[in-house]
Amino acid sequence: MKLNPVEQLNELVWGDMLHRHGLPGRVLSTSLRYLYAVLRDFFSGQLTMRAMSLVYTTLLSIVPLLAFSFSVLKGFGIHEQIQDQMYLFLEPLGARGEEITDKVMSLVHNVDGRVLGGVSLAFFMWTAVSMVQKVEEGLNYVWYVSEPRSFARRFTEYMAVLMIGPLAIFIALGMITALQNQSIVQYLVQNEIVGPLFVATSKLTPYFIVAGVFAFLYWFMPNTRVRVLPALLGGLAGGFIWASMVIIFTTFIATASARQAVYASFAIAIVTLIWLYLNWLTLLIGAQLAFYIQHPEYLRIGRQEPRLSNSMRERLALNVMLLVGRAFRDPKRSLSIQDLSDSLQIPSLTLEPILRDLEGDGLLTTNEKDELLPGRETARITLREVLDVVRSQGGTGSWREPRWEKHVDDVGRRLDEATVATVGDLTLVDLIDEAEQEPGTGSAAGDGHPVDED
């Protein structure tokens, strides 16, 4: 039977057709799968919508954010050195980019905390922090994280980013300036050992710095555990896309004089919005790739809603409570959603609805470190309550009660009675004791040693 084009594409990407051609075929097949997944997520529209949201937040918070950063740099006496490097970011816009940077820096220097009132100063600080919060929300979406940081963690970690970030940027831009220093360049070029390498890599230094910033954001900002290697690979991919975009966008600006004549004074505003949008979109695409590198099990399904059978939901709820209870019993152990995902070999996207239902019924809770804990004493949590969360709760969406056929209702009642008879009065403590008495039944999460999926 002849396959249609969509089926042929799926067979090429997800089948073993290319694997038959040895190592080159496997490399090509893997590359096509990652490219397919990223393009699928791009055309779904969610990444573009979040990039546009970040553009709007940037317009509101760019002046407060820069003002806060420069106030930090003033404390170290290095704010004047970094000001000249601010023009690099809008360099692809040409002469207009320099004009915009001058206006933004003029607004930043006009900000005086002594002149602002208490409410105005609080709003000023809130707009600066909202920028970091929006970045976290965007990366949390990419990493399938439904719960943001707690307020305490947000405050401390956001302030750390706002305090340390300007210094890191100064060091990075200082490296670029040093590389552009004529005496240093001449010395390195004339050196027989590092000369050829320096010539080949000096022009790429700004792009490596951008890739490093992307990698740091991928590793630090999502409210989940991100491994270093996926963050680095995603950062390098994002840096490569950004470098390519700079070349294309600069060429476009240089040849767009006719368009600027049509849009007149609005042209620079439109071009600036497009440039900001492309930068944020690049950041999110690199994050999406980093996620797939760490979690290749999502490559094919993407954000497709998982379908769990009733039996799997019951076993999953009991297993979650068992692992959480065992970790809580030992003060040296802790358990996060990612630990559960690694131990059970189930994506966190599948776990989250069950965890949300258990937490809503008071059987599960989290602390300020986002560690999972029993909602109350384990001796007071019955297995019947755990099963009721996934068996009995829910509704049809109608304002009226369903009208069951009598014989079907009788069968359902007997099934409920059989479940109650099976678990009896057993509590979570009984289940934990039974599990710990049997050697060899401990799981990775329960023993405090999560297992990596890949």
Side-chain angles (χ1 to χ4, degrees), residues 201-220:
T201 60
S202 60
K203 294 184 179 181
L204 299 178
T205 302
Y207 307 114
F208 284 129
I209 292 176
V210 171
V213 172
F214 282 7
F216 171 76
L217 292 175
Y218 300 157
W219 172 77
F220 180 79

Side-chain angles (χ1 to χ4, degrees), residues 355-422:
L355 298 176
R356 188 166 54 246
D357 292 341
L358 291 170
E359 188 172 1
D361 212 50
L363 303 179
L364 201 63
T365 188
T366 56
N367 60 12
E368 66 278 0
K369 297 181 180 179
D370 295 323
E371 297 169 347
L372 298 171
L373 303 170
R376 55 178 183 266
E377 293 181 23
T378 53
R380 294 174 51 223
I381 299 178
T382 65
L383 300 188
R384 180 178 177 181
E385 288 179 298
V386 177
L387 292 175
D388 282 344
V389 169
V390 294
R391 296 190 78 253
S392 303
Q393 295 186 9
T396 62
S398 173
W399 59 273
R400 296 177 295 184
E401 290 294 326
R403 182 183 298 169
W404 306 116
E405 290 290 338
K406 181 181 182 302
H407 298 292
V408 173
D409 201 24
D410 290 341
V411 172
R413 188 179 299 108
R414 289 198 296 270
L415 289 173
D416 293 338
E417 292 172 353
T419 300
V420 172
T422 300

